[in-house]
Amino acid sequence: MFTDVEHLRTLPPADVLVVGSGPAGLSCALELRRLGATVVLLESGGRRAARSPLNEVVATGLPFLGAMTGRARGFGGTGERWSGQCLPLEDADVTGRSWVPDGDWPLELADLRTWQARAADVLGVADATFGLADLDRAAGHDAVTVGEALGRGDLDVRVLHHSPHPRLGHVARKDVAADPGLHVVVGATAVEVLVRAGRAAGVRARDGAGAEWSVPAGATVLAGGTLENARLLLASGSGPDGPAGLGGGSGHLGAGLQDHPVWELGEVTGPDPRLTSFFQASTHGDHLVRPKLTLSADAQQRGGLLDAVADLQVVHGPRSPVGAAKRIAEALRQGRVPESFGPELLRLATGAGAIVREAQHRRRGLAAPPDADSRLVLRVQTEQPPTGPSRLRLSGRRDALGLPMLEVDWQVGAEEHRAAVTAAHALTGALTGAGLAQVRLVPWLDDRRAFAGAAADYYHHAGTTRMSRRPEDGVVDPDLAVHGVAGLHVVGGSVFPSSGYANPTLTVVALALRLATHLAGADAARSSATDPAATP
């Protein structure tokens, strides 16, 4: 049931309080309900997800645009903006790579794979193998031929699947509204985790007018996204770890911020039509698939490299009606009249078809096919070192609720540069060697300073509350419980020890389902232990 924040005091204590209704929080809450637990789901935004000024951060490193444009608050969270891209982590990302320190996961690979399969089922991509065989079924022989030509040597082909129903909040809205055991409280922002005698007792929440409530629960799950999970723990400094924040005694809280930085590293000319067709999405049953080229495991090990992905992307030019539509929209968002307003409107009027095609593709997270005023670029994205220099801190500035804003120090270094350059050369060599296209790489490819300045974050936030077996190595244990604080769990990309190249949402949902099953089992065990009528 949906409940406004003013009715918060009338709610009975829940078995589990979940903070955040994005893919992690909603998946966890729905699975808990399926297993019989009562749940309060606390959502900072309203009943519809939207951008929020509460997402503003203080960037002290490179620009980190995803903090604002890559996040939403409201029922369904950022998942309401997600295009549904699903990929699993590679085996070596989980079991560890000797050349990537601190990157192994404290989970058995088979355990994670079991839950990723469950997540794939929830997201509607249960039949995915994520390999070239999926492309064969979807795009046909020509695509496979191109894939085989490119996926040699230092490159592998992986096939990304788009969930046919990525907006989990939209899908679940009707069932949630009718469920008396699940209360979704909108307009309530968690501002502090409450701890009594070393155990989480719920959270303190604040509404937009500044009124506050204590929200009790048997167990508390933070599922607000990588940045918000860390901020809430950092702001909850009254626990056993003092000013370092809850779970911060090891120094890992807020540290190891990761994204998938992305660059345009070359322009592709004279593409064979089969090539542009290969990189476009194709239909696989009831959903779309799209190939990605990744650095092979052998290339990574040989060069001591991070994971990287290389592909081709359509960029629309200044005379394109699609570009005109984007410029007008951006100007209006900033409250100004766009320059060359008349010519821009004329481009819109004469290019309605192109704009409609682009809108249709963008809703699926894709770029439209090239037109007469577009160019094809070679794009590369990499993972980041699991315990690299990037991190989050609380700043001295306050947001509209009076809460400390996050200071985001996002950095891109030599390791990302080496991986990206290797991937760019590998794809360039594969394209020219197969006679599929020519590539002109950017002149600043070997200039690390220019390279860092050209980096853009890809909204795949990870790290900052890393998972570890030992308290001194992270923030949460393999069951996602905060080290040293009973009854407090964290789920989402923030717990990833490493992020590989894969889009994170499939794994986020997998971890949420796993956590819900763990919590439901623990609650059942406690009930049996305290019920005199329970049989052994």
Side-chain angles (χ1 to χ4, degrees):
M1 300 176 66
F2 286 95
T3 305
D4 291 327
V5 65
E6 56 264 27
H7 300 127
L8 195 53
R9 288 192 180 93
T10 67
L11 296 181
D15 295 327
V16 183
L17 167 66
V18 179
V19 178
S21 68
L26 190 55
S27 298
C28 185
L30 293 175
E31 185 68 3
L32 283 164
R33 286 297 298 135
R34 191 185 71 81
L35 296 170
T38 59
V39 180
V40 168
L41 186 59
L42 211 62
E43 172 51 54
S44 174
R47 298 195 183 196
R48 303 288 177 184
R51 291 186 187 181
S52 170
L54 296 179
N55 289 340
E56 185 180 356
V57 299
V58 178
T60 58
L62 296 172
F64 200 70
L65 300 181
M68 281 294 289
T69 60
R71 296 192 294 162
R73 296 189 187 225
F75 184 65
T78 303
E80 298 302 283
R81 304 288 183 86
W82 181 48
S83 64
Q85 300 179 19
C86 297
L87 270 176
L89 294 159
E90 294 293 326
D91 289 0
D93 297 331
V94 181
T95 57
R97 294 160 284 173
S98 60
W99 61 95
V100 182
D102 306 309
D104 58 318
W105 286 51
L107 299 179
E108 293 295 328
L109 179 62
D111 183 25
L112 183 60
R113 288 288 185 247
T114 296
W115 291 104
Q116 285 179 327
R118 283 278 313 277
D121 189 35
V122 167
L123 296 171
V125 296
D127 65 338
T129 70
F130 304 101
L132 199 55
D134 294 345
L135 203 61
D136 188 12
R137 292 169 55 191
H141 180 70
D142 279 352
V144 173
T145 301
V146 172
E148 289 174 343
L150 297 179
R152 295 172 180 166
D154 288 346
L155 297 174
D156 285 333
V157 178
R158 293 291 180 263
V159 177
L160 180 151
H161 287 246
H162 287 254
S163 168
H165 47 77
R167 295 166 58 200
L168 298 182
H170 179 78
V171 171
R173 184 177 296 273
K174 188 177 293 186
D175 290 340
V176 167
D179 187 348
L182 171 58
H183 289 274
V184 178
V185 183
V186 295
T189 300
V191 299
E192 183 185 11
V193 177
L194 302 174
V195 178
R196 298 191 183 99
R199 182 176 184 86
V203 303
R204 184 164 58 90
R206 187 176 297 173
D207 69 9
E212 290 192 351
W213 290 265
S214 293
V215 189
T220 301
V221 175
L222 306 187
T226 290
L227 275 62
E228 287 304 310
N229 286 346
R231 179 163 84 156
L232 189 51
L233 289 175
L234 285 165
S236 302
S238 59
D241 294 331
L246 294 178
S250 65
H252 286 280
L253 178 57
L257 173 64
Q258 299 158 59
D259 204 306
H260 288 149
V262 61
W263 297 264
E264 292 178 6
L265 294 182
E267 186 151 353
V268 180
T269 58
D272 187 300
R274 293 177 303 159
L275 181 65
T276 52
S277 176
F278 171 79
F279 278 105
Q280 286 296 310
S282 50
T283 302
H284 176 91
D286 64 350
H287 64 277
L288 297 174
V289 298
R290 186 160 53 94
K292 286 191 171 187
L293 292 165
T294 68
L295 277 180
S296 68
D298 181 63
Q300 291 179 54
Q301 184 173 18
R302 200 170 60 244
L305 299 170
L306 298 170
D307 270 334
V309 172
D311 65 7
L312 304 187
Q313 183 77 20
V314 176
V315 176
H316 296 286
R319 293 185 300 277
S320 166
V322 174
K326 291 178 178 178
R327 287 189 293 274
I328 289 175
E330 182 60 29
L332 293 176
R333 274 197 297 268
Q334 296 176 6
R336 60 180 178 83
V337 176
E339 299 174 7
S340 307
F341 191 64
E344 298 282 47
L345 284 178
L346 182 61
R347 291 189 183 96
L348 288 183
T350 58
I355 294 169
V356 169
R357 285 195 304 275
E358 177 73 9
Q360 290 171 339
H361 281 72
R362 286 293 175 186
R363 276 199 298 269
R364 301 177 299 189
L366 310 166
D371 57 26
D373 190 46
S374 64
R375 59 194 181 94
L376 202 58
V377 300
L378 187 156
R379 188 178 67 166
V380 173
Q381 67 186 57
T382 74
E383 70 170 323
Q384 295 198 270
T387 53
S390 302
R391 68 170 302 132
L392 305 175
R393 300 178 181 87
L394 295 182
S395 79
R397 290 177 56 184
R398 300 273 168 166
D399 64 18
L401 288 182
L403 305 177
M405 291 172 60
L406 272 178
E407 176 187 302
V408 180
D409 183 6
W410 185 54
Q411 304 290 337
V412 170
E415 292 180 69
E416 295 94 322
H417 181 241
R418 288 199 307 117
V421 168
T422 302
H425 281 302
L427 182 52
T428 297
L431 290 172
T432 56
L436 291 169
Q438 296 296 312
V439 180
R440 183 173 64 252
L441 294 173
V442 294
W444 44 265
L445 188 64
D446 296 321
D447 184 337
R448 275 183 48 193
R449 180 174 295 183
F451 182 83
D457 57 308
Y458 204 57
Y459 310 168
H460 291 174
H461 309 152
T464 72
T465 68
R466 64 180 279 118
M467 190 192 321
S468 65
R469 293 182 181 85
R470 305 185 307 166
E472 56 264 40
D473 297 328
V475 178
V476 302
D477 70 16
D479 290 324
L480 307 188
V482 175
H483 290 299
V485 185
L488 178 61
H489 293 75
V490 181
V491 67
S494 66
V495 307
F496 285 18
S498 62
S499 60
Y501 66 78
N503 302 66
T505 307
L506 176 70
T507 302
V508 165
V509 172
L511 292 176
L513 297 173
R514 179 177 179 270
L515 174 59
T517 301
H518 170 74
L519 291 174
D523 185 62
R526 281 196 299 271
S527 297
S528 298
T530 57
D531 183 357
T535 57

